[in-house]
Amino acid sequence: MPFDGIVTKCIVNELNDLLAGGRVEKVFQPEADEVVLLVRSKSQNYRLVASANANYPRLHITASQKENPQTPPVFCMLMRKHLSGGKLLDISFHDYERVISINIESVNELGDLSVKRVVVEIMGKHSNIILLNSEDKIIDSVKHVDNDISSVREVMPARPYFLPPAQNKELPENIIPERIFEHPLVSEAKHIEGLLLNLIKGFSPYTCREICRAADVAPKTPVAALSHAQKANLISALKNYLARINNNGFEPCIIYQDKNFLKPLDFYCFVPEQPAIYKKYELLSSALDEFYSLRDTNERLTQKMGDIVKVIKNGIDRCEKKIALFNDKLREVSDREKLQLFGELITANIYCIPAGSETARVLNYYSENEEYVEIPLNEYKSAQENAQRYFKQYTKAKSTYLNATQQLKDTFLELEYLQSVQTMLENCSSRQEIDEIRQELTDQGYIRASARNSKKKQDKPSSPLDFTSSDGFQILVGKNNKQNDLLTLKLAAASDIWLHTRNIPGSHVIIRAERREVPDSTLLEAAILAAYHSSAKMSSNVPVDYTLVRNVKKPNGAKPGMVIYESFKTVNVTPGEEKVFEITQNKINLKIR
């Protein structure tokens, strides 16, 4: 994430406007590397979170409240001792470095006012939260850095605090865009992105690429290969970018993977130059809070479904191995009819075959051409015993064929079921949906039921996805196989329309016809939703079958979500993000509000 110097300036300006002059009422430390200050400012309470997490270091106002440990950590107790009741004077940063200082005036042990400083260093794995006294000596820090870890800069109690080593770059306000191609670094830079990155403080690679995109120049273009027109475009784009930074013309946003707005890719204080799915926010804190909240939720969901993913993967691997094994057996007994033929031909010519023969050349009277065939014999057995031997081999091969064929059919059905569960799991967006899939796999015997889970209070079942077509028809989409059965076999009327991707794992989709004729536009929208909520959501020309619900049946003993249907038609659709977004516009907007 580009929490660079530009983002730092944006968040510092924002926090100053909101918190300067406020009072620190409480201090919490919900995580080992995270501190929360409860600040009362301008008749409102704000929760200022500072995190030194190596993956997600940050500072912003948050609306979420984490559970705090029963016994506060030592660093939390120190923060409370020195900061509780203090006045937050201001928040500042130095030279576009990702080092933010929170200056707080509080009463010391002698009853005098003194200014303490909380320094939040946002530097990846070197991130830290440091409490300083009025003389800039370290009282304590979330992470201790002794001489064994770093010989350049120690962060230990009672040591003087030093800023991280400064970068030899120019401040954005000191940059003259028209002269960047005259700078000595031009000869050292491999490409234009590298030149901007090595020249200007606070710029991240993302920022440099955005400037290049605004100038319509590839970021990796060698500086020497730039034309006069490209240089002019870069100078103009850089000038505009610097003007927005210097004038605080920030536009905080989150960039998302798709228009469901559930999987954030990045955040920044300016909207992206390239085409992207993004959502703008009034405050950068709101964007950061949403971004990290969604990231945390997605990670927790990923962890929660981890064991289920493993069970499904193991089941699919097992099915694929069984299919290969049964196919090998079928190949081995593919000549079973020849065994029966040999037995019958030997029986028909039993008196013509002398004892002790190794082969018998007999007429194949079953063949239209009536050619002769050579039949291998066991010389130590009589002709009748050889015939019986071939009949026994045929009986065994036939039994193997029938058993392997049935096992192969059952294994394909099991594989289809597991693949459908895998698709449903990939589309889960809440803990409840994951729990329902876990329960389904437990009921099917794939996951062992535990006493704890059996006593656990069951949540109210989740509801199917509910959409409204452009023609006003209700379209329901199942989220898991049990929901699919409920939709198709109980909730849907016989005259409703049922849709499903052909031979592709996915959701059951129902169009509520309510005795009306369903127009082609609604049918197409429902087919797009069916394709999108399947394992072929990234494909094109996906075949979707549709028929009346009365034509859909569930075989006895079939697994959840498994049905058979007849009298169907097929439509091919491409489930692109734009099409799905148009269909789900009302639902998405409701979620945002």
Side-chain angles (χ1 to χ4, degrees):
M1 286 67 70
F3 204 119
D4 56 16
I6 312 304
V7 172
T8 303
K9 179 180 181 180
C10 179
I11 196 67
V12 166
N13 290 347
E14 182 180 294
L15 295 179
N16 258 322
D17 291 340
L18 294 174
L19 305 180
R23 292 281 175 184
V24 178
E25 296 196 342
K26 294 181 180 180
V27 181
F28 306 103
Q29 190 176 351
E31 308 282 352
D33 52 8
E34 184 176 299
V35 172
V36 177
L37 302 182
L38 183 61
V39 181
R40 180 74 177 175
S41 177
K42 301 173 183 177
S43 302
Q44 291 191 47
N45 290 328
Y46 296 94
R47 299 178 68 86
L48 180 63
V49 59
S51 176
N53 183 282
N55 295 319
Y56 304 130
R58 62 197 189 274
L59 176 71
H60 60 88
I61 292 170
T62 181
S64 62
Q65 297 186 32
K66 292 184 178 181
E67 186 176 349
N68 296 296
Q70 292 184 348
T71 303
V74 174
F75 185 70
C76 180
M77 297 299 291
L78 272 173
M79 294 276 282
R80 290 177 178 178
K81 174 184 174 181
H82 291 281
L83 304 181
S84 293
K87 180 181 179 182
L88 197 154
L89 300 177
D90 59 40
I91 301 174
S92 60
F93 73 112
H94 177 72
D95 281 355
Y96 287 87
E97 299 288 351
R98 293 171 296 169
V99 179
I100 303 174
S101 297
I102 306 171
N103 298 308
I104 300 172
E105 185 182 59
S106 60
V107 178
N108 61 19
E109 294 88 345
L110 301 177
D112 299 326
L113 288 175
S114 64
V115 177
K116 306 295 192 307
R117 188 150 62 107
V118 179
V119 179
V120 182
E121 298 180 347
I122 303 171
M123 301 183 298
K125 66 179 181 180
H126 303 296
S127 299
N128 212 339
I129 303 171
I130 307 167
L131 178 62
L132 308 179
N133 63 16
S134 56
E135 299 175 353
D136 275 354
K137 285 192 175 180
I138 299 172
I139 298 175
D140 205 353
S141 61
V142 160
K143 299 177 184 177
H144 289 175
V145 182
D146 57 20
N147 191 55
D148 293 336
I149 299 175
S150 174
S151 59
V152 177
R153 180 172 175 265
E154 285 187 297
V155 181
M156 297 290 290
R159 305 283 204 283
Y161 174 76
F162 298 102
L163 285 167
Q167 301 180 56
N168 188 24
K169 299 181 181 180
E170 299 285 342
L171 294 174
E173 50 261 36
N174 295 338
I175 290 293
I176 302 175
E178 291 81 2
R179 296 183 180 177
I180 61 168
F181 294 106
E182 301 171 9
H183 199 279
L185 286 176
V186 170
S187 59
E188 301 176 11
K190 293 182 179 180
H191 42 69
I192 184 60
E193 178 188 336
L195 174 63
L196 296 174
L197 185 63
N198 295 327
L199 179 60
I200 307 173
K201 274 191 176 183
F203 275 27
S204 63
Y206 177 87
T207 308
C208 299
R209 289 193 294 270
E210 284 291 280
I211 293 172
C212 292
R213 291 187 186 106
D216 198 22
V217 175
K220 299 300 181 183
T221 304
V223 179
L226 292 172
S227 66
H228 290 295
Q230 288 177 317
K231 288 183 178 180
N233 290 343
L234 283 165
I235 290 171
S236 176
L238 178 58
K239 187 183 295 184
N240 292 336
Y241 220 84
L242 292 175
R244 285 195 286 171
I245 294 170
N246 295 331
N247 296 328
N248 297 324
F250 300 111
E251 297 177 287
C253 70
I254 296 179
I255 303 169
Y256 291 89
Q257 182 174 319
D258 54 45
K259 287 189 175 180
N260 288 327
F261 299 120
L262 294 176
K263 296 181 180 179
L265 293 176
D266 235 325
F267 64 84
Y268 204 52
C269 52
F270 295 120
V271 297
E273 294 291 340
Q274 78 275 25
I277 300 168
Y278 66 89
K279 186 163 57 171
K280 291 173 64 174
Y281 292 81
E282 186 176 343
L283 297 175
L284 179 58
S285 277
S286 301
L288 292 173
D289 196 29
E290 177 80 1
F291 179 86
Y292 288 111
S293 176
L294 287 174
R295 273 292 175 95
D296 182 63
T297 299
N298 291 337
E299 286 187 0
R300 289 177 186 273
L301 289 178
T302 301
Q303 292 173 0
K304 188 172 182 62
M305 66 174 66
D307 60 329
I308 305 179
V309 171
K310 187 175 180 180
V311 167
I312 295 174
K313 183 180 182 302
N314 290 341
I316 290 175
D317 290 344
R318 183 178 64 252
C319 287
E320 290 175 345
K321 289 178 181 177
K322 288 170 68 176
I323 288 171
L325 178 64
F326 293 137
N327 280 327
D328 287 341
K329 286 186 176 181
L330 289 176
R331 280 191 290 270
E332 289 174 4
V333 298
S334 59
D335 61 347
R336 62 192 177 282
E337 300 299 334
K338 185 188 291 185
L339 298 174
Q340 184 183 28
L341 175 65
F342 285 177
E344 291 180 353
L345 292 178
I346 293 173
T347 302
N349 296 276
I350 195 167
Y351 298 108
C352 303
I353 301 173
S357 299
E358 295 183 358
T359 60
R361 189 172 184 274
V362 296
L363 179 67
N364 182 6
Y365 48 81
Y366 288 103
S367 173
E368 293 180 358
N369 300 324
E370 294 188 348
E371 72 275 5
Y372 282 86
V373 294
E374 293 281 344
I375 302 176
L377 300 175
N378 186 333
E379 59 184 301
Y380 300 106
K381 294 181 182 292
S382 65
Q384 185 176 2
E385 289 174 332
N386 273 293
Q388 291 300 319
R389 181 169 64 89
Y390 276 115
F391 284 133
K392 286 180 180 179
Q393 289 178 359
Y394 167 72
T395 301
K396 183 178 179 181
K398 182 180 178 181
S399 176
T400 299
Y401 170 77
L402 294 174
N403 181 63
T405 301
Q406 184 60 45
Q407 292 278 9
L408 191 61
K409 179 181 176 181
D410 293 343
T411 305
F412 270 119
L413 289 174
E414 183 181 8
L415 178 62
E416 182 183 354
Y417 169 72
L418 289 172
Q419 288 174 337
S420 72
V421 176
Q422 186 180 53
T423 300
M424 301 297 176
L425 190 63
E426 291 171 354
N427 293 329
C428 283
S429 59
S430 69
R431 176 196 60 80
Q432 184 181 359
E433 293 172 14
I434 296 173
D435 286 342
E436 289 177 355
I437 290 179
R438 184 191 299 277
Q439 185 60 47
E440 177 185 331
L441 290 173
T442 301
D443 295 342
Q444 294 300 313
Y446 291 97
I447 296 178
R448 182 179 300 175
S450 63
R452 183 182 66 180
N453 289 338
S454 62
K455 294 179 182 178
K456 184 179 177 181
K457 182 181 178 181
Q458 295 295 319
D459 294 331
K460 182 180 178 181
S462 62
S463 301
L465 295 172
D466 192 344
F467 303 95
T468 302
S469 75
S470 57
D471 302 301
F473 286 80
Q474 185 182 24
I475 302 175
L476 300 174
V477 180
K479 292 181 183 176
N480 53 57
N481 283 314
K482 282 193 172 182
Q483 222 171 76
N484 286 339
D485 282 349
L486 181 66
L487 267 180
T488 303
L489 306 174
K490 293 186 178 181
L491 297 182
S495 58
D496 290 342
I497 295 180
W498 178 90
L499 303 94
H500 194 280
T501 46
R502 175 184 287 186
N503 299 326
I504 299 172
S507 298
H508 291 202
V509 176
I510 299 293
I511 302 176
R512 293 279 204 182
E514 297 178 346
R515 299 182 179 179
R516 294 177 292 170
E517 184 178 351
V518 178
D520 290 344
S521 53
T522 291
L523 196 62
L524 182 62
E525 290 170 4
I528 290 173
L529 288 173
Y532 185 76
H533 292 90
S534 75
S535 59
K537 64 184 295 183
M538 304 304 293
S539 304
S540 59
N541 292 323
V542 180
V544 178
D545 294 338
Y546 64 95
T547 185
L548 294 176
V549 170
R550 65 167 61 96
N551 297 326
V552 183
K553 310 294 180 185
K554 188 175 185 68
N556 292 333
K559 291 185 179 294
M562 301 292 105
V563 295
I564 56 176
Y565 53 95
E566 57 186 14
S567 303
F568 61 89
K569 296 181 180 179
T570 305
V571 60
N572 292 301
V573 296
T574 300
E577 290 287 353
E578 291 296 329
K579 294 179 183 177
V580 174
F581 180 68
E582 289 175 7
I583 300 169
T584 60
Q585 184 70 56
N586 292 333
K587 175 176 177 289
I588 295 294
N589 286 340
L590 180 63
K591 189 180 294 183
I592 295 171
R593 289 197 297 268

Short mmCIF file of all heavy atoms in Angstrom, two decimals, residues 6 9 13 96 171-178 200 203 207 211 234-251 269-270 273:
data_model
loop_
_atom_site.label_atom_id
_atom_site.label_comp_id
_atom_site.label_asym_id
_atom_site.label_seq_id
_atom_site.Cartn_x
_atom_site.Cartn_y
_atom_site.Cartn_z
N ILE A 6 3.27 11.58 0.67
CA ILE A 6 2.12 12.37 0.25
C ILE A 6 0.90 11.98 1.08
O ILE A 6 0.15 12.85 1.57
CB ILE A 6 1.83 12.17 -1.25
CG1 ILE A 6 3.12 12.30 -2.06
CG2 ILE A 6 0.78 13.15 -1.72
CD1 ILE A 6 3.86 13.61 -1.86
N LYS A 9 1.32 13.49 4.53
CA LYS A 9 0.92 14.90 4.62
C LYS A 9 -0.60 15.03 4.67
O LYS A 9 -1.15 15.81 5.47
CB LYS A 9 1.44 15.67 3.41
CG LYS A 9 1.03 17.14 3.42
CD LYS A 9 1.53 17.93 2.24
CE LYS A 9 1.08 19.39 2.35
NZ LYS A 9 1.54 20.23 1.24
N ASN A 13 -2.60 16.64 7.94
CA ASN A 13 -3.47 17.82 7.81
C ASN A 13 -4.87 17.52 8.32
O ASN A 13 -5.48 18.33 9.02
CB ASN A 13 -3.54 18.25 6.34
CG ASN A 13 -2.24 18.85 5.85
OD1 ASN A 13 -1.34 19.16 6.63
ND2 ASN A 13 -2.12 18.99 4.54
N TYR A 96 8.39 15.20 4.61
CA TYR A 96 7.72 14.15 3.83
C TYR A 96 8.20 12.75 4.17
O TYR A 96 8.02 11.81 3.39
CB TYR A 96 7.85 14.41 2.33
CG TYR A 96 6.99 15.55 1.86
CD1 TYR A 96 7.46 16.87 1.90
CD2 TYR A 96 5.71 15.34 1.38
CE1 TYR A 96 6.67 17.93 1.48
CE2 TYR A 96 4.91 16.39 0.96
CZ TYR A 96 5.39 17.68 1.01
OH TYR A 96 4.61 18.73 0.60
N LEU A 171 12.54 18.23 -1.67
CA LEU A 171 11.17 18.37 -1.21
C LEU A 171 10.27 18.74 -2.39
O LEU A 171 10.68 19.47 -3.29
CB LEU A 171 11.07 19.44 -0.13
CG LEU A 171 11.79 19.14 1.19
CD1 LEU A 171 11.73 20.36 2.10
CD2 LEU A 171 11.16 17.95 1.88
N PRO A 172 9.01 18.26 -2.39
CA PRO A 172 8.11 18.56 -3.51
C PRO A 172 7.97 20.06 -3.78
O PRO A 172 7.91 20.49 -4.93
CB PRO A 172 6.78 17.95 -3.06
CG PRO A 172 7.17 16.82 -2.18
CD PRO A 172 8.40 17.30 -1.44
N GLU A 173 7.93 20.87 -2.70
CA GLU A 173 7.76 22.32 -2.91
C GLU A 173 9.00 22.99 -3.50
O GLU A 173 8.92 24.13 -3.98
CB GLU A 173 7.36 23.01 -1.59
CG GLU A 173 8.23 22.66 -0.41
CD GLU A 173 7.61 21.59 0.47
OE1 GLU A 173 6.94 20.69 -0.09
OE2 GLU A 173 7.78 21.67 1.68
N ASN A 174 10.14 22.31 -3.44
CA ASN A 174 11.37 22.88 -4.00
C ASN A 174 11.64 22.42 -5.43
O ASN A 174 12.60 22.87 -6.06
CB ASN A 174 12.57 22.50 -3.13
CG ASN A 174 12.48 23.10 -1.74
OD1 ASN A 174 11.78 24.10 -1.53
ND2 ASN A 174 13.18 22.51 -0.78
N ILE A 175 10.78 21.51 -5.93
CA ILE A 175 10.99 20.98 -7.28
C ILE A 175 10.51 21.99 -8.33
O ILE A 175 9.42 22.56 -8.22
CB ILE A 175 10.23 19.65 -7.46
CG1 ILE A 175 10.91 18.55 -6.62
CG2 ILE A 175 10.18 19.22 -8.91
CD1 ILE A 175 12.29 18.16 -7.10
N ILE A 176 11.37 22.23 -9.34
CA ILE A 176 10.98 23.02 -10.50
C ILE A 176 10.81 22.04 -11.66
O ILE A 176 11.79 21.53 -12.21
CB ILE A 176 12.05 24.07 -10.83
CG1 ILE A 176 12.27 25.00 -9.62
CG2 ILE A 176 11.63 24.88 -12.06
CD1 ILE A 176 13.39 25.99 -9.83
N PRO A 177 9.56 21.71 -12.01
CA PRO A 177 9.32 20.67 -13.02
C PRO A 177 10.07 20.89 -14.32
O PRO A 177 10.55 19.92 -14.95
CB PRO A 177 7.80 20.73 -13.23
CG PRO A 177 7.27 21.26 -11.95
CD PRO A 177 8.30 22.24 -11.47
N GLU A 178 10.19 22.14 -14.75
CA GLU A 178 10.84 22.43 -16.03
C GLU A 178 12.31 22.04 -16.04
O GLU A 178 12.93 21.93 -17.10
CB GLU A 178 10.70 23.91 -16.37
CG GLU A 178 9.28 24.36 -16.72
CD GLU A 178 8.43 24.61 -15.48
OE1 GLU A 178 8.96 24.47 -14.36
OE2 GLU A 178 7.24 24.95 -15.63
N ILE A 200 12.44 13.00 -5.81
CA ILE A 200 11.47 13.74 -5.01
C ILE A 200 11.14 13.00 -3.73
O ILE A 200 10.78 11.81 -3.75
CB ILE A 200 10.19 13.99 -5.82
CG1 ILE A 200 10.54 14.64 -7.17
CG2 ILE A 200 9.23 14.90 -5.04
CD1 ILE A 200 9.35 14.77 -8.11
N PHE A 203 7.64 10.57 -2.57
CA PHE A 203 7.04 9.87 -3.70
C PHE A 203 7.29 8.37 -3.59
O PHE A 203 8.42 7.93 -3.38
CB PHE A 203 7.62 10.38 -5.03
CG PHE A 203 6.93 11.61 -5.56
CD1 PHE A 203 6.31 12.49 -4.70
CD2 PHE A 203 6.91 11.88 -6.92
CE1 PHE A 203 5.67 13.63 -5.17
CE2 PHE A 203 6.29 13.02 -7.41
CZ PHE A 203 5.66 13.89 -6.54
N THR A 207 3.05 6.59 -6.86
CA THR A 207 2.91 8.00 -7.23
C THR A 207 3.62 8.30 -8.54
O THR A 207 3.07 8.99 -9.42
CB THR A 207 3.48 8.90 -6.12
OG1 THR A 207 2.90 8.53 -4.86
CG2 THR A 207 3.19 10.36 -6.39
N ILE A 211 1.94 9.64 -12.19
CA ILE A 211 2.36 10.81 -12.95
C ILE A 211 2.67 10.42 -14.40
O ILE A 211 2.30 11.12 -15.34
CB ILE A 211 3.58 11.47 -12.28
CG1 ILE A 211 3.18 12.07 -10.93
CG2 ILE A 211 4.19 12.56 -13.17
CD1 ILE A 211 4.33 12.57 -10.10
N LEU A 234 5.29 15.09 -19.39
CA LEU A 234 5.72 14.74 -18.03
C LEU A 234 5.87 15.97 -17.15
O LEU A 234 5.47 15.97 -15.98
CB LEU A 234 7.04 13.96 -18.09
CG LEU A 234 6.92 12.49 -18.50
CD1 LEU A 234 8.28 11.92 -18.88
CD2 LEU A 234 6.31 11.67 -17.37
N ILE A 235 6.44 17.02 -17.72
CA ILE A 235 6.60 18.27 -16.95
C ILE A 235 5.24 18.82 -16.57
O ILE A 235 5.01 19.24 -15.42
CB ILE A 235 7.41 19.30 -17.78
CG1 ILE A 235 8.87 18.85 -17.89
CG2 ILE A 235 7.32 20.69 -17.15
CD1 ILE A 235 9.69 19.68 -18.86
N SER A 236 4.30 18.80 -17.50
CA SER A 236 2.96 19.31 -17.22
C SER A 236 2.25 18.45 -16.17
O SER A 236 1.62 18.99 -15.24
CB SER A 236 2.14 19.32 -18.51
OG SER A 236 0.81 19.72 -18.28
N ALA A 237 2.36 17.11 -16.29
CA ALA A 237 1.72 16.22 -15.33
C ALA A 237 2.32 16.38 -13.93
O ALA A 237 1.60 16.41 -12.93
CB ALA A 237 1.85 14.76 -15.80
N LEU A 238 3.64 16.51 -13.87
CA LEU A 238 4.31 16.69 -12.59
C LEU A 238 3.91 18.02 -11.95
O LEU A 238 3.68 18.11 -10.74
CB LEU A 238 5.83 16.62 -12.78
CG LEU A 238 6.69 16.84 -11.52
CD1 LEU A 238 6.34 15.81 -10.45
CD2 LEU A 238 8.17 16.76 -11.87
N LYS A 239 3.82 19.06 -12.78
CA LYS A 239 3.43 20.37 -12.28
C LYS A 239 2.03 20.31 -11.66
O LYS A 239 1.78 20.85 -10.57
CB LYS A 239 3.48 21.40 -13.41
CG LYS A 239 3.26 22.84 -12.95
CD LYS A 239 3.25 23.79 -14.14
CE LYS A 239 4.61 23.83 -14.83
NZ LYS A 239 4.64 24.82 -15.93
N ASN A 240 1.11 19.66 -12.35
CA ASN A 240 -0.26 19.53 -11.84
C ASN A 240 -0.29 18.73 -10.54
O ASN A 240 -1.01 19.07 -9.59
CB ASN A 240 -1.15 18.86 -12.88
CG ASN A 240 -1.39 19.73 -14.09
OD1 ASN A 240 -1.30 20.96 -14.01
ND2 ASN A 240 -1.71 19.11 -15.23
N TYR A 241 0.50 17.66 -10.50
CA TYR A 241 0.52 16.80 -9.31
C TYR A 241 1.08 17.56 -8.11
O TYR A 241 0.54 17.50 -7.01
CB TYR A 241 1.37 15.56 -9.59
CG TYR A 241 0.79 14.29 -9.01
CD1 TYR A 241 -0.18 13.57 -9.70
CD2 TYR A 241 1.20 13.81 -7.78
CE1 TYR A 241 -0.72 12.41 -9.19
CE2 TYR A 241 0.66 12.65 -7.25
CZ TYR A 241 -0.29 11.95 -7.95
OH TYR A 241 -0.84 10.81 -7.43
N LEU A 242 2.19 18.29 -8.32
CA LEU A 242 2.80 19.06 -7.23
C LEU A 242 1.87 20.17 -6.76
O LEU A 242 1.81 20.47 -5.56
CB LEU A 242 4.13 19.65 -7.71
CG LEU A 242 5.25 18.64 -7.97
CD1 LEU A 242 6.48 19.34 -8.56
CD2 LEU A 242 5.63 17.90 -6.69
N ALA A 243 1.13 20.78 -7.70
CA ALA A 243 0.19 21.84 -7.32
C ALA A 243 -0.90 21.29 -6.41
O ALA A 243 -1.28 21.92 -5.41
CB ALA A 243 -0.42 22.47 -8.57
N ARG A 244 -1.39 20.08 -6.72
CA ARG A 244 -2.42 19.48 -5.87
C ARG A 244 -1.87 19.15 -4.49
O ARG A 244 -2.56 19.29 -3.49
CB ARG A 244 -2.96 18.21 -6.54
CG ARG A 244 -3.90 18.49 -7.70
CD ARG A 244 -4.69 17.25 -8.07
NE ARG A 244 -3.86 16.28 -8.77
CZ ARG A 244 -4.26 15.04 -9.06
NH1 ARG A 244 -5.46 14.62 -8.68
NH2 ARG A 244 -3.47 14.21 -9.71
N ILE A 245 -0.61 18.71 -4.44
CA ILE A 245 0.01 18.39 -3.15
C ILE A 245 0.20 19.66 -2.32
O ILE A 245 -0.17 19.72 -1.14
CB ILE A 245 1.35 17.67 -3.36
CG1 ILE A 245 1.14 16.30 -3.99
CG2 ILE A 245 2.10 17.53 -2.03
CD1 ILE A 245 2.42 15.63 -4.46
N ASN A 246 0.76 20.69 -2.95
CA ASN A 246 1.05 21.93 -2.22
C ASN A 246 -0.22 22.65 -1.78
O ASN A 246 -0.23 23.33 -0.76
CB ASN A 246 1.91 22.85 -3.08
CG ASN A 246 3.28 22.25 -3.38
OD1 ASN A 246 3.81 21.48 -2.57
ND2 ASN A 246 3.86 22.57 -4.53
N ASN A 247 -1.30 22.49 -2.57
CA ASN A 247 -2.57 23.17 -2.24
C ASN A 247 -3.52 22.27 -1.46
O ASN A 247 -4.69 22.63 -1.25
CB ASN A 247 -3.26 23.63 -3.53
CG ASN A 247 -2.44 24.66 -4.28
OD1 ASN A 247 -1.73 25.47 -3.66
ND2 ASN A 247 -2.52 24.64 -5.61
N ASN A 248 -3.03 21.09 -1.04
CA ASN A 248 -3.84 20.14 -0.28
C ASN A 248 -5.12 19.75 -1.03
O ASN A 248 -6.18 19.58 -0.42
CB ASN A 248 -4.19 20.70 1.10
CG ASN A 248 -2.96 20.94 1.94
OD1 ASN A 248 -1.99 20.19 1.88
ND2 ASN A 248 -2.97 22.01 2.74
N GLY A 249 -5.01 19.61 -2.32
CA GLY A 249 -6.16 19.21 -3.13
C GLY A 249 -6.32 17.71 -3.17
O GLY A 249 -6.35 17.11 -4.26
N PHE A 250 -6.45 17.09 -2.01
CA PHE A 250 -6.48 15.63 -1.92
C PHE A 250 -7.88 15.09 -2.19
O PHE A 250 -8.89 15.71 -1.85
CB PHE A 250 -6.01 15.17 -0.54
CG PHE A 250 -4.59 15.60 -0.22
CD1 PHE A 250 -4.34 16.54 0.76
CD2 PHE A 250 -3.53 15.06 -0.92
CE1 PHE A 250 -3.04 16.94 1.06
CE2 PHE A 250 -2.22 15.45 -0.62
CZ PHE A 250 -1.98 16.39 0.36
N GLU A 251 -7.93 13.91 -2.79
CA GLU A 251 -9.18 13.18 -3.06
C GLU A 251 -9.00 11.74 -2.61
O GLU A 251 -8.69 10.86 -3.42
CB GLU A 251 -9.52 13.22 -4.55
CG GLU A 251 -9.79 14.60 -5.11
CD GLU A 251 -10.06 14.54 -6.61
OE1 GLU A 251 -9.09 14.32 -7.37
OE2 GLU A 251 -11.23 14.67 -7.01
N CYS A 269 -4.45 9.04 -1.75
CA CYS A 269 -5.05 10.35 -1.46
C CYS A 269 -5.45 11.08 -2.75
O CYS A 269 -5.93 12.22 -2.68
CB CYS A 269 -4.10 11.20 -0.62
SG CYS A 269 -2.45 11.35 -1.29
N PHE A 270 -5.23 10.45 -3.91
CA PHE A 270 -5.70 10.98 -5.19
C PHE A 270 -6.38 9.86 -5.95
O PHE A 270 -6.00 8.68 -5.83
CB PHE A 270 -4.55 11.54 -6.04
CG PHE A 270 -3.87 12.74 -5.45
CD1 PHE A 270 -2.52 12.72 -5.16
CD2 PHE A 270 -4.58 13.91 -5.20
CE1 PHE A 270 -1.89 13.82 -4.61
CE2 PHE A 270 -3.95 15.02 -4.65
CZ PHE A 270 -2.60 14.98 -4.36
N GLU A 273 -5.22 7.52 -12.06
CA GLU A 273 -5.20 8.04 -13.43
C GLU A 273 -5.69 6.99 -14.43
O GLU A 273 -6.34 7.31 -15.41
CB GLU A 273 -3.78 8.49 -13.80
CG GLU A 273 -3.25 9.67 -13.01
CD GLU A 273 -3.97 10.97 -13.34
OE1 GLU A 273 -4.59 11.05 -14.42
OE2 GLU A 273 -3.94 11.90 -12.52
#
